[in-house]
Amino acid sequence: MPSSDAEAATALKLQGNKAFQQHDWPTAVDFYTKAIEKYDKDPSFFSNRAQCHIKLEAYGYAVADATKAIELDPAYVKAYWRRALANTAILNSREALKDFKAVVKREPNNRDAKLKLAECEKLVRRIEFEKAIEVSDPPSAFEDLDIDSIVVDDSYDGVRLGNEMTQEFIDDMIQRFKNGKKIHRKYAFQIIKAVRDITYAEPTMVEVGVEKGTKLTVCGDTHGQFFDLLEIFRLNGFPSDTHAYLFNGDFVDRGSWSTEIAFLLYAYKWLRPNKFFLNRGNHETDDMNRAYGFEGECKAKYNERTFKLFSESFSALPLATLIGNKYFVLHGGLFSDDNTSLDDIRKLNRHTQRQPGQQGLMMEMLWTDPQPTPGRGPSKRGVGMQFGPDVTKRFCEKNGLEAIIRSHEVRMEGYEVEHDGRCITVFSAPKYCDTTENKGAYINIGPELKLEFHKFDAVPHPDIKPMVCFASPRL
């Protein structure tokens, strides 16, 4: 390889580093990719691109790039570290454990690595223990829950909640959350139980129209960014009898106000069950909640039972919403089998399986992603798969759809229209994890069923760091 190619590649790497420092992960990936095309013998090119993939949650790609860096230089510590982080993210704890051990062996004084190694060892032991005691049909978390017997003492300074949700309670709850306060444990349990009962009775695919004089707003991931959720309502209007909302999964994890978002969305669902809709996301699952903060947040702010109740309520959520017979809305994306139809979704009994598992329709609905090339490919995340524009076209034509609307991925402009207009991604967590310089977005749909895209910026919030965001070592 001529030295000029290596020099040109290094210059591209430096441009990638600059984009990374500006938190523009997609541009950084492009520069590192061009550097690799020029010269593919430098492990830092692959390791740096792996770090970008981690930021973009493309953990499968990150594992592949870190592995290539290690093949080029078996002593390259950053590559072991990044592969460990990526495997941790997709819950491959045993593989991550090997790499954390490799880092500590090479850098015995690395405190961060020793801490991560200890955490990973603890997690692996916990997984093995839970597997050993696992029962096939665990009892309901709501069993023996006597909400009526819980007393709200006189010192509670918030609005009281009776047997029905009220706008007054919601307004007070929003203000409490803004001030760093909690709602009473009794009210927390009431809200979760009410919404669990409502959503359990809904079909796996909810079918809604948009009546004259009303509109429906579709929002993507909010990930515990409570103050940005309030910004959506400030800009676009709060839920009302004439303004319906659909939140397309991933309400919780990562951000530090996941319980606040969950309680607010649930309260609106209880208040207006036919005008407020919730689809399940891949982060409304036990494994993800343990790894990305929601379980810990529930225990810290309320108690362990609160998490168990939320967990069971998450498994009751619908998996998709069909809007006006034109837009199929689900968190992840399409399927490994072209024969899958909307009728298959209608018939899917989500109540027989609380967690999505590693295969099947539920897993695909929560985890898959679009790709620009035709056909299907391995997942960049390391979970699920990817589907091309031809897959989307066939699904839409077969089912009489105009487009699918999904979330699940950061988009720098808050949304993206792909696959010849048939695949739309909307993401509603701007400045994701306080590190990505992305906008948020939401989609308004009126009676004519036309899509109206709106972008918005992140707003200031109290200085509490996201509960789980990967540290980014210097490139």
Side-chain angles (χ1 to χ4, degrees):
M1 183 70 66
S3 61
S4 58
D5 285 345
E7 291 169 1
T10 299
L12 288 165
K13 171 193 167 180
L14 294 175
Q15 288 182 276
N17 290 356
K18 183 177 180 181
F20 185 93
Q21 289 159 5
Q22 294 170 344
H23 298 176
D24 186 351
W25 323 125
T27 299
V29 167
D30 288 343
F31 278 122
Y32 295 138
T33 301
K34 290 174 182 175
I36 290 166
E37 289 168 353
K38 282 278 186 186
Y39 182 68
D40 62 0
K41 304 300 181 188
D42 188 326
S44 71
F45 298 171
F46 291 95
S47 181
N48 286 11
R49 191 169 68 174
Q51 181 64 15
C52 291
H53 286 317
I54 288 172
K55 291 293 187 181
L56 290 167
E57 300 184 9
Y59 301 116
Y61 286 177
V63 169
D65 272 349
T67 300
K68 180 64 177 178
I70 291 166
E71 289 172 0
L72 291 170
D73 182 0
Y76 201 65
V77 175
K78 282 182 181 177
Y80 287 102
W81 173 258
R82 287 165 180 168
R83 190 168 67 178
L85 292 182
N87 271 316
T88 299
I90 52 177
L91 311 180
N92 287 340
S93 303
R94 289 181 178 84
E95 291 301 314
L97 185 60
K98 296 175 188 176
D99 283 336
F100 284 132
K101 286 179 177 178
V103 174
V104 171
K105 181 180 178 180
R106 289 166 174 79
E107 294 185 353
N109 296 322
N110 186 327
R111 292 178 59 188
D112 288 341
K114 287 196 284 188
L115 180 62
K116 282 288 187 183
L117 174 59
E119 290 175 356
C120 194
E121 287 174 333
K122 183 179 178 181
L123 179 59
V124 169
R125 287 196 299 269
R126 173 179 171 175
I127 291 169
E128 290 172 349
F129 173 74
E130 289 176 348
K131 190 173 182 181
I133 65 169
E134 185 178 18
V135 292
S136 58
D137 190 16
S140 169
F142 293 92
E143 195 173 293
D144 300 326
L145 178 64
D146 186 1
I147 296 176
D148 291 338
S149 70
I150 302 173
V151 176
V152 180
D153 53 56
D154 293 338
S155 64
Y156 184 72
D157 61 352
V159 169
R160 305 286 167 134
L161 180 63
N163 293 323
E164 297 292 335
M165 180 54 63
T166 67
Q167 187 64 54
E168 181 188 17
F169 182 88
I170 291 177
D171 293 342
D172 177 72
M173 182 171 64
I174 289 172
Q175 196 57 49
R176 293 182 71 79
F177 290 163
K178 287 168 70 174
N179 293 334
K181 294 183 177 181
K182 298 178 290 185
I183 57 173
H184 194 276
R185 177 171 54 94
K186 177 174 183 173
Y187 302 151
F189 290 173
Q190 276 184 271
I191 291 169
I192 301 170
K193 185 180 187 305
V195 172
R196 183 260 186 190
D197 292 346
I198 291 167
T199 57
Y200 192 95
E202 290 181 322
T204 295
M205 183 177 73
V206 174
E207 302 184 42
V208 301
V210 185
E211 299 168 0
K212 186 177 180 181
T214 71
K215 69 176 176 179
L216 169 63
T217 298
V218 180
C219 298
D221 304 34
T222 51
H223 274 303
Q225 296 185 197
F226 176 70
F227 293 87
D228 295 316
L229 170 62
L230 295 184
E231 179 70 356
I232 293 175
F233 292 150
R234 186 189 72 81
L235 292 169
N236 193 51
F238 282 79
S240 70
D241 289 337
T242 57
H243 188 173
Y245 272 86
L246 164 60
F247 282 83
N248 194 28
D250 283 13
F251 328 124
V252 302
D253 281 337
R254 296 191 182 278
S256 295
W257 294 274
S258 290
T259 56
E260 286 81 359
I261 281 189
F263 281 126
L264 180 55
L265 297 185
Y266 271 29
Y268 274 124
K269 178 63 180 176
W270 187 7
L271 181 66
R272 292 188 175 86
N274 299 315
K275 293 290 183 179
F276 199 90
F277 306 99
L278 302 170
N279 284 344
R280 189 179 189 179
N282 68 302
H283 277 267
E284 280 71 55
T285 57
D286 286 355
D287 286 347
M288 301 302 279
N289 293 159
R290 288 174 182 141
Y292 289 96
F294 184 60
E295 181 184 41
E297 186 181 333
C298 284
K299 290 178 179 178
K301 294 179 179 177
Y302 294 92
N303 57 22
E304 184 174 9
R305 188 157 202 174
T306 302
F307 172 69
K308 289 181 177 179
L309 295 173
F310 265 127
S311 170
E312 191 166 332
S313 76
F314 288 164
S315 70
L317 293 173
L319 300 177
T321 302
L322 181 64
I323 301 174
N325 294 315
K326 291 182 71 171
Y327 301 108
F328 179 53
V329 187
L330 73 172
H331 182 71
L334 295 181
F335 312 99
S336 55
D337 185 348
D338 271 345
N339 291 319
T340 302
S341 68
L342 293 183
D343 278 339
D344 293 314
I345 309 305
R346 291 185 179 100
K347 295 172 186 174
L348 178 63
N349 184 353
R350 69 191 188 280
H351 300 311
T352 60
Q353 181 183 349
R354 285 190 184 178
Q355 304 302 319
Q358 296 297 310
Q359 58 186 2
L361 280 185
M362 185 187 296
M363 183 279 290
E364 292 177 353
M365 293 176 76
L366 299 183
W367 276 100
T368 62
D369 295 298
Q371 65 182 24
T373 54
R376 294 177 173 87
S379 171
K380 61 188 175 186
R381 297 173 186 270
V383 182
M385 55 130 212
Q386 296 184 164
F387 58 96
D390 55 329
V391 176
T392 305
K393 182 174 186 284
R394 288 193 295 270
F395 181 82
C396 288
E397 289 179 348
K398 178 179 178 180
N399 292 282
L401 300 170
E402 190 161 311
I404 68 164
I405 300 174
R406 40 92 62 184
S407 302
H408 195 39
E409 292 182 281
V410 178
R411 290 295 189 258
M412 296 307 287
E413 291 301 310
Y415 73 94
E416 185 173 2
V417 180
E418 303 170 84
H419 293 186
D420 301 314
R422 291 185 181 268
C423 180
I424 295 150
T425 299
V426 59
F427 191 83
S428 303
K431 201 169 186 182
Y432 183 42
C433 283
D434 285 347
T435 61
T436 304
E437 296 300 329
N438 64 293
K439 294 182 181 298
Y442 51 88
I443 305 171
N444 282 333
I445 304 174
E448 302 81 14
L449 300 180
K450 301 299 182 186
L451 304 184
E452 191 179 280
F453 299 95
H454 295 268
K455 298 187 288 187
F456 68 102
D457 294 316
V459 295
H461 60 71
D463 188 20
I464 301 174
K465 299 302 179 187
M467 285 199 164
V468 178
C469 280
F470 296 118
S472 54
R474 280 174 30 177
L475 295 175

